[in-house]
Amino acid sequence: MQFGRVITHRIGGEETRGASSRTSPVYDPATGEVQAEVVLAEPGDVDAAVAAARGAFAEWSQASLSRRAKVMFAFRQLLNRNVEELARIVSSEHGKVLEDAKGEVLRGLEVVEFACGIPHLLKGEYSDQVSTTVDAYSFRQPLGVCAGITPFNFPAMVPMWMHPVAIACGNAFVLKPSERDPSASNLVAELYAEAGLPAGVFNVVHGDKVAVDALLDHPDVAGVSFVGSTPIAEYVHARGTEKRKRVQALGGAKNHAVVMPGADLGYAADQLAAAGFGSAGQRCMAISVAVAIGDAGDELVEEVARRAREIHVGPGLDPASEMGPVVTPQARERIVDYIGQGAEAGARLTVDGRELEMDGGGFWVGPTLIDQVSPEMSVYRDEIFGPVLSVVRSGGLDEAIALINRNPYANGAAIFTGSGYEARRFQREVEVGMIGINVPIPVPMAFYSFGGWKDSLFGDHHIHGPEGVRFYTRGKAITSRWPATQATAADAGSMHFPTSS
């Protein structure tokens, strides 16, 4: 098999292969061909990246807020100029259609814009005269070297949930992106350098578990952000916190959408088809379970099925395509296996994506709609991460809420309804981190924070937004007194516990 380009690390502002002889293929998911090979980091490569970050941190953490903001504004401008190029890279390596890739880049850009406001976001607090001649104030300082470990499904956006906020807060950053679609991160590193970010503040190492473990164990890494599956999120959190690091680890999801009989079923069907099959279902916020209440079921299934059959599936770079392939042959095999398990368990395959026929190679699975799914089936229990929408029939809102709350995943949930009463009950009683009301994918804007509950999050902080700023900084409280040059008896020390007076 003939390889194309070689993708290497970017450490301390330089491109480097390191000493590793291990590589991993980067596929074109639309053809099945290998288009590049990525060099996988060894522990020594991670050491070099962390050393570069540690060396750059001393100066960058002392940079003025105005200087940090200027770099972020310049980075934002360069990103905006390169949206098309970043989207093309993402589409070619991930497989998602070009417009979806552009949307991903633009949502990441919103976090950069949030980080541009760092002078305001890092404002401290001040209290005058908390005691006689005593003032108190607080501010937040950066952690040091922070690391990001990110998934394949959003190779541009998810890293941008992390590094702009971390860097604007004064930290240095080491990014370990997915080895399946690594090229976007290298371009981002080049744009940071062009924006004036000092060498070593942002570094990229490509790798697998070897690199992950090296980052989790490294004594100079102070904080770790992770997005991926729940088993790996739990592993990252446990290993990182054991090493006394601050860790936020976002895990998997099984997002439900409840459709009430009073909802606009045509609108709900449109939204469910887009939320279930967009990006070939490879989204942590994809709707994978539609809960049809009462009389809504039959019509809803019929409408979603019609829309699923009309979706134009094709290469991501083809402007006519609405859904592309999945990312690897292993991903396709896993998804196809789950569809078969659903059929064997007694669910009804209303639309079977295994029947999709495409010319040439590629990792193709068509939109799949499975009706009459029950909670004990694997297609309901497990995160499939493919274009598979399961329909569970339910007798009422109480039953639907209980179903969602029993699920160990708790990333997001949505309700389609025309009733404000039903919507308000749903948003208050459902135990998940993000709620959509007639919105199927309730990803919050960058000035809010993203994250789930239960097995969808390990750690205390959601990502980006205000909680992101708190994660990448630690608070310091100051109590100060400036006595007169000629101290008086009133300024004398006391052996008693200090109290305000």
Side-chain angles (χ1 to χ4, degrees):
M1 185 172 287
Q2 187 66 40
F3 285 106
R5 57 200 169 86
V6 177
I7 301 163
T8 55
H9 322 303
R10 294 195 66 86
I11 298 173
E14 301 294 331
E15 188 172 353
T16 174
R17 180 176 181 126
S20 177
S21 60
R22 297 186 305 122
T23 61
S24 181
V26 179
Y27 292 101
D28 177 347
T31 66
E33 297 177 353
V34 173
Q35 58 176 311
E37 61 176 352
V38 60
V39 177
L40 301 177
E42 300 295 346
D45 301 310
V46 173
D47 288 344
V50 175
R54 187 68 191 172
F57 171 72
E59 178 186 348
W60 181 246
S61 62
Q62 297 301 318
S64 67
L65 291 173
S66 59
R67 182 186 174 199
R68 293 186 220 161
K70 286 176 183 176
V71 169
M72 278 297 147
F73 273 109
F75 179 55
R76 182 254 175 215
Q77 188 173 19
L78 290 166
L79 272 175
N80 205 37
R81 288 179 190 167
N82 285 272
V83 168
E84 297 281 345
E85 176 62 11
L86 269 169
R88 186 195 64 77
I89 291 171
V90 169
S91 179
S92 66
E93 293 184 352
H94 175 279
K96 66 178 64 176
V97 299
L98 195 58
E99 284 303 311
D100 192 30
K102 288 180 188 176
E104 168 187 344
V105 176
L106 292 171
R107 288 306 297 266
L109 185 61
E110 291 171 2
V111 181
V112 178
E113 293 169 346
F114 172 78
C116 287
I118 199 63
H120 175 76
L121 297 169
L122 283 183
K123 279 184 178 179
E125 298 172 314
Y126 190 97
S127 297
D128 174 69
Q129 200 73 354
V130 295
S131 186
T132 305
T133 72
V134 176
D135 304 327
Y137 49 99
S138 68
F139 55 88
R140 303 191 70 83
Q141 292 183 300
L143 299 179
V145 177
C146 296
I149 302 165
T150 57
F152 77 87
N153 59 324
F154 288 101
M157 182 184 74
V158 170
M160 282 193 275
W161 284 357
M162 302 172 185
H163 55 72
V165 179
I167 290 170
C169 286
N171 299 283
F173 202 86
V174 178
L175 174 64
K176 204 299 288 182
S178 171
E179 65 275 22
R180 299 179 193 174
D181 42 17
S183 298
S185 295
N186 279 18
L187 177 54
V188 166
E190 294 173 17
L191 297 180
Y192 264 129
E194 190 176 346
L197 188 70
V201 176
F202 180 72
N203 308 274
V204 180
V205 290
H206 300 289
D208 52 11
K209 187 177 184 296
V210 172
V212 170
D213 287 346
L215 287 168
L216 294 174
D217 294 344
H218 202 292
D220 287 337
V221 174
V224 177
S225 299
F226 171 86
V227 175
S229 69
T230 287
I232 307 303
E234 188 171 13
Y235 170 82
V236 167
H237 183 262
R239 186 157 180 162
T241 53
E242 182 184 9
K243 304 294 183 179
R244 302 183 65 81
K245 302 183 191 308
R246 182 176 290 188
V247 180
Q248 57 178 180
L250 282 67
K254 197 71 180 180
N255 305 309
H256 297 65
V258 175
V259 182
M260 302 301 295
D264 181 332
L265 294 185
Y267 171 83
D270 279 338
Q271 298 298 311
L272 287 174
F277 308 131
S279 196
Q282 298 172 121
R283 296 170 174 163
C284 63
M285 288 296 286
I287 293 296
S288 53
V289 180
V291 185
I293 306 297
D295 296 339
D298 290 344
E299 183 179 349
L300 179 70
V301 169
E302 182 180 335
E303 290 293 318
V304 174
R306 179 174 63 80
R307 286 159 174 78
R309 295 186 182 102
E310 292 172 352
I311 292 172
H312 182 80
V313 180
L317 294 175
D318 183 345
S321 299
E322 296 176 290
M323 189 188 106
V326 297
V327 68
T328 62
Q330 294 82 6
R332 183 191 183 279
E333 182 179 345
R334 182 175 184 272
I335 294 162
V336 166
D337 184 56
Y338 270 111
I339 295 171
Q341 290 179 38
E344 291 171 7
R348 182 162 65 91
L349 286 181
T350 306
V351 182
D352 189 346
R354 299 174 300 178
E355 298 173 353
L356 177 70
E357 295 183 2
M358 301 291 290
D359 294 332
F363 316 132
W364 302 98
V365 185
T368 299
L369 182 63
I370 309 180
D371 192 14
Q372 304 294 342
V373 171
S374 58
E376 68 274 5
M377 296 179 183
S378 62
V379 289
Y380 174 82
R381 292 192 322 267
D382 299 342
E383 185 181 29
I384 300 173
F385 227 62
V388 179
L389 179 62
S390 298
V391 179
V392 176
R393 304 298 185 106
S394 178
L397 184 57
D398 288 345
E399 184 180 321
I401 291 173
L403 175 74
I404 296 170
N405 289 348
R406 284 194 301 270
N407 198 283
Y409 296 113
N411 224 27
I415 185 170
F416 291 92
T417 179
S419 165
Y421 169 76
E422 292 171 346
R424 193 167 188 277
R425 269 201 65 199
F426 187 83
Q427 73 183 29
R428 291 183 61 82
E429 295 181 21
V430 169
E431 297 169 1
V432 304
M434 293 167 284
I435 297 286
I437 298 172
N438 297 316
V439 173
I441 302 181
V443 176
M445 298 297 289
F447 39 84
Y448 284 84
S449 297
F450 176 104
W453 293 2
K454 298 193 289 191
D455 285 357
S456 294
L457 176 71
F458 298 86
D460 297 327
H461 292 278
H462 288 180
I463 206 164
H464 71 61
E467 291 196 48
V469 173
R470 289 193 287 273
F471 178 79
Y472 290 119
T473 58
R474 49 189 171 189
K476 183 176 284 185
I478 315 298
T479 303
S480 71
R481 167 182 278 165
W482 294 97
T485 304
Q486 298 296 324
T488 67
D491 298 313
S494 171
M495 298 295 291
H496 302 301
F497 192 83
T499 60
S500 60
S501 60

